Amino acid sequence: MDIRFQVLLGRFVFFVFAFFQCVSGCRNIDPRDFISHAAVGLVEKSIPDLLNGQIKDSMDNYYGAIPDSYGIHHPSSCAGFIQNLASVYSQPSSTYFHSAALLHAMTLASIYLLKSQHDDGTIDLLTTNFHSTPDLAFAVEPLALAYKILTLDSIPEEEILLENIKTFLVNGGQALSVGGIHTPNHRWVVSMALARINNLFPDTKYISRINEWLDEGIDIDADGQYNEKSTYIYSPLTNRALITVARLTENKQLYESVRKNLGLTPFLIHPNGTLVTETSRRQDQFLSRPSDIYYYAYRYMAVHDQDENFGAMANYLEKNYGSSLNASLLPYALEDSSLWNPYPIGSKMDKYDTLFKQGGIARWRDENMDASLISNNSTLFTFSNANAMLQAVRLSSAFFGKGQFKADSLFRIENGYQLVQSLQAPYYQPYSKNEVDPGGDWDKMARENRKQSEIQKLHYSIKAHLIDNAWLLEFDVQGTAGVPVAVELSFKKGGQLLNVIKLNDNSDIYILKSKFATYKYHQSEIEFGPGTNAHTWTQIRGAEPKIEGMSVYFTGYTPFNHTLTIRGR
């Protein structure tokens, strides 16, 4: 019988059975059981593809591994593989309950994990890190969770699998107790892994190492943002890590950092559910990514604190992303069933106008429209109307090859905000005769030691006024005259631009054909204009490369003054 058919048949039989139990009144069924069983069903759907992806040729050097799309066999992939299979293998409601095929697949993966583990307990991330403590920690977390799930209902046939996992974890614990890290979040991922190993195989050295990292303090600012400002990858990861350490080591003070970040995050979600990523210092910067990654933290804290604001966000994510969220929650809920408990639900914010000084970002929202103003970033302004997204407004000039406007100040003004930056560029005088390098070596006559002259200056300013839900951006560039200037409006790819002229048939570069233009994305529109085009040099020297998307340019020369209106329709 086809394995997919078996899964569907098993789920159908279970729910029919449960239905008649409810109707007949034979026993009361906890509503949490239905959520759990539904989550099991969702995970079951992925099992055939997971099994098909594993190397099953016993003569292959990578026997038991799970290759990525490039054919690279990362050890950590086996850890996630085992966790996913364990989540359904351990559940009586699953068609895969105590499946010999799943047990065999998990055992093969555990053998490959041990084969990949170095003598010092570490593993490699083959794309960049070798003998890596942090990447070991990323593998330990799902593997330790799988071990815990399996031992809640262990059978003799699992002995080899469990022993392999234990060996990997204990060896890994030695490395995690002494190994180093690269980035801020690595400290908390390592601590999470140590907390999980300690929960299974207690050792005081694990707690001591956790405390060493915690003694550095949590890297969270007054706004509630972690150091890396990575809204899609590392903020939700840090929340999960701190929750795990707090829960398993009884260090309840760690919840406070999670509360602060979860309090900030609603301000960093666009009306369409994607995250504000422009301020990220990591690889998720400028990427359009969903906010469902926060579901675990919001649900956990909503239940733990019985907090209606966190409950509002958990409820919003459930409605926005559907029941698939429960599948991601399943392995954690199998360890901690309180995650299925009810929680209070408050009202979600859909209107705000807030400046976060530490993060250098102002966020405005009114129902389906939102905007960002950002300092210390080439993206100065963003605007969205539902799914229509102006993903960046940027300003650059040909000022000595360093004219990309990145505001060093962002502050409130009447009806809005202002972004400013000042630049200067000198010329350099000769060295005095007694200071000249005898060999005439230019590199030995440092430019910073030369006297400056003909110092050129440039001052950027953008005043952003909000009037009747339209944004008026007043561009003002003063100083050295005659400097070419370009303003870039980058729109999300996939939409349609009206009343524009394409500058090059092979590019997504446009100028305005008439006074105002429109960007359409499905049923949503953004109107913008008027334009000004004194020249057609858009890729100015010293400016950052064009953003991936459809870019409309306004151009001019200094002194440059232009007011641009942006509104949703």
Side-chain angles (χ1 to χ4, degrees), residues 422-483:
S422 293
L423 300 174
Q424 65 177 36
Y427 291 86
Y428 299 92
Q429 293 293 317
Y431 262 64
S432 62
K433 191 171 183 178
N434 63 332
E435 292 178 325
V436 171
D437 178 70
D441 190 335
W442 167 266
D443 293 331
K444 293 181 180 178
M445 294 181 283
R447 197 166 67 171
E448 57 265 26
N449 295 331
R450 295 174 181 270
K451 290 181 180 180
Q452 298 181 0
S453 63
E454 298 89 49
I455 297 174
Q456 304 301 303
K457 296 182 179 180
L458 203 68
H459 180 75
Y460 290 119
S461 170
I462 297 178
K463 292 181 179 178
H465 297 287
L466 179 62
I467 300 175
D468 296 330
N469 268 11
W471 285 93
L472 276 64
L473 303 186
E474 297 179 10
F475 296 89
D476 185 30
V477 187
Q478 301 291 332
T480 302
V483 180

Side-chain angles (χ1 to χ4, degrees), residues 211-428:
N211 289 334
E212 280 189 79
W213 290 122
L214 290 177
D215 284 346
E216 293 191 356
I218 307 299
D219 54 306
I220 193 165
D221 64 25
D223 293 334
Q225 189 57 282
Y226 298 110
N227 176 272
E228 292 164 291
K229 298 184 179 181
S230 172
T231 52
Y232 178 67
I233 301 175
Y234 296 111
S235 288
L237 172 63
T238 297
N239 286 335
R240 191 175 84 240
L242 294 179
I243 286 172
T244 302
V245 177
R247 183 170 62 86
L248 296 181
T249 69
E250 293 295 317
N251 187 346
K252 299 186 184 300
Q253 290 183 342
L254 297 178
Y255 288 129
E256 192 53 40
S257 294
V258 178
R259 292 184 184 107
K260 286 177 66 176
N261 182 258
L262 295 183
L264 168 69
T265 299
F267 293 95
L268 301 177
I269 299 177
H270 294 299
N272 68 356
T274 60
L275 291 160
V276 174
T277 60
E278 287 79 14
T279 60
S280 174
R281 295 174 177 173
R282 299 301 303 275
Q283 62 266 39
D284 54 348
Q285 187 181 40
F286 302 128
L287 299 180
S288 178
R289 292 294 182 266
S291 52
D292 59 340
I293 195 72
Y294 285 88
Y295 181 60
Y296 169 76
Y298 273 119
R299 176 147 193 159
Y300 179 91
M301 294 306 297
V303 172
H304 181 274
D305 288 1
Q306 286 296 292
D307 185 288
E308 65 176 19
N309 293 321
F310 297 154
M313 285 302 300
N315 181 252
Y316 161 76
L317 293 173
E318 288 170 0
K319 289 183 176 179
N320 216 37
Y321 295 100
S323 59
S324 62
L325 291 178
N326 286 327
S328 66
L329 202 67
L330 180 61
Y332 300 96
L334 293 178
E335 178 196 31
D336 176 15
S337 62
S338 71
L339 278 170
W340 299 135
N341 287 347
Y343 53 83
I345 301 174
S347 299
K348 181 180 171 294
M349 289 187 303
D350 288 326
K351 290 188 177 184
Y352 48 77
D353 184 358
T354 307
L355 172 62
F356 297 99
K357 292 183 179 180
Q358 290 284 322
I361 183 171
R363 288 283 298 148
W364 169 85
R365 179 171 177 178
D366 189 350
E367 302 295 344
N368 287 327
M369 294 187 292
D370 78 326
S372 301
L373 293 104
I374 310 169
S375 63
N376 298 303
N377 199 301
S378 61
T379 294
L380 305 163
F381 179 84
T382 73
F383 178 82
S384 74
N385 177 24
N387 285 311
M389 301 191 74
L390 170 57
Q391 57 191 7
V393 173
R394 304 197 300 178
L395 171 62
S396 60
S397 73
F399 188 72
F400 293 87
K402 59 180 180 181
Q404 186 74 57
F405 179 17
K406 295 183 179 181
D408 50 33
S409 296
L410 166 64
F411 48 88
R412 280 190 182 274
I413 57 175
E414 185 176 358
N415 296 325
Y417 298 91
Q418 185 171 5
L419 294 154
V420 297
Q421 182 190 28
S422 293
L423 300 174
Q424 65 177 36
Y427 291 86
Y428 299 92

Side-chain angles (χ1 to χ4, degrees), residues 383-385 388-390 491 517-521 524-528 566-569:
F383 178 82
S384 74
N385 177 24
M389 301 191 74
L390 170 57
F491 294 92
T518 301
Y519 169 76
K520 295 184 67 174
Y521 194 94
S524 305
E525 296 184 358
I526 298 174
E527 183 185 65
F528 58 98
I566 299 170
R567 62 164 56 90
R569 296 196 311 183

Side-chain angles (χ1 to χ4, degrees), residues 112-123:
Y112 182 75
L113 266 174
L114 286 177
K115 178 181 175 182
S116 303
Q117 191 171 38
H118 296 298
D119 291 341
D120 63 2
T122 63
I123 61 173

